């Protein structure tokens, strides 16, 4: 089994619900990682805004994020453009994922490719 964790929740407008979704997404990735199951984390949609929060020491998710940062594949480039997170993604060293050439965008992660590659996709 392989797992792809996609975090969509919005830290800017989502409040505790968004924090809870991001926490549970990262915790699921941590669980897979501890069990030596291949796992990949993506930030997509308004979830691309997490990149400016998770890398800050003192943020409630910082320690958990640090424990799984090595399995973060990256940030949806097209979503980061739309939701104003591209600069933060670049400044914080996140890879901009462009596998799915959606017309009118700079590209997004390819869910179809993840599925073809044997990943089960989980969204948070």
């Amino acid at each position: 089994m392989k797992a792809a964790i996609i975090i969509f929740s919005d830290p800017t407008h989502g409040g505790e619900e968004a924090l809870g979704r991001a926490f549970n997404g990262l915790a699921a990735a941590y669980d897979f990682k501890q069990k030596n199951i291949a796992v990949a984390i993506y930030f997509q949609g308004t979830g691309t805004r997490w990149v400016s929060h998770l890398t800050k020491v003192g943020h409630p998710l910082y320690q958990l994020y640090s424990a799984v940062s090595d399995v973060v594949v990256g940030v949806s480039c097209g979503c980061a453009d739309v939701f104003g997170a591209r600069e933060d993604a670049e400044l914080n060293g996140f890879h901009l994922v462009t596998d799915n050439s959606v017309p009118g965008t700079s590209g997004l992660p390819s869910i179809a490719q993840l599925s073809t590659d044997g990943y089960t996709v989980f969204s948070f």
Side-chain angles (χ1 to χ4, degrees):
M1 178 184 183
K2 297 190 264 184
I5 306 292
I6 303 177
I7 297 178
F8 290 104
S9 69
D10 184 352
T12 307
H13 305 292
E16 288 182 337
E17 189 270 341
L19 180 63
R21 288 178 60 201
F23 170 75
N24 280 283
L26 296 174
Y30 182 80
D31 190 23
F32 284 117
K33 182 178 170 182
Q34 293 305 301
K35 291 176 174 53
N36 293 313
I37 297 169
V39 62
I41 301 171
Y42 295 83
F43 294 92
Q44 196 163 339
T46 56
T48 58
R49 294 174 176 158
W50 279 109
V51 300
S52 66
H53 300 276
L54 298 175
T55 56
K56 291 181 181 172
V57 176
H59 188 278
L61 298 181
Y62 174 78
Q63 288 184 2
L64 178 56
Y65 169 75
S66 294
V68 296
S69 63
D70 62 319
V71 297
V72 171
V73 174
V75 172
S76 169
C77 187
C79 295
D81 288 341
V82 169
F83 296 106
R86 184 177 185 141
E87 184 178 339
D88 285 335
E90 292 173 336
L91 288 172
N92 287 289
F94 286 84
H95 173 70
L96 296 170
V97 182
T98 60
D99 303 332
N100 182 6
S101 299
V102 175
T105 75
S106 53
L108 288 80
S110 174
I111 304 299
Q113 190 61 54
L114 286 168
S115 182
T116 298
D117 291 344
Y119 283 86
T120 300
V121 177
F122 300 89
S123 61
F124 292 87

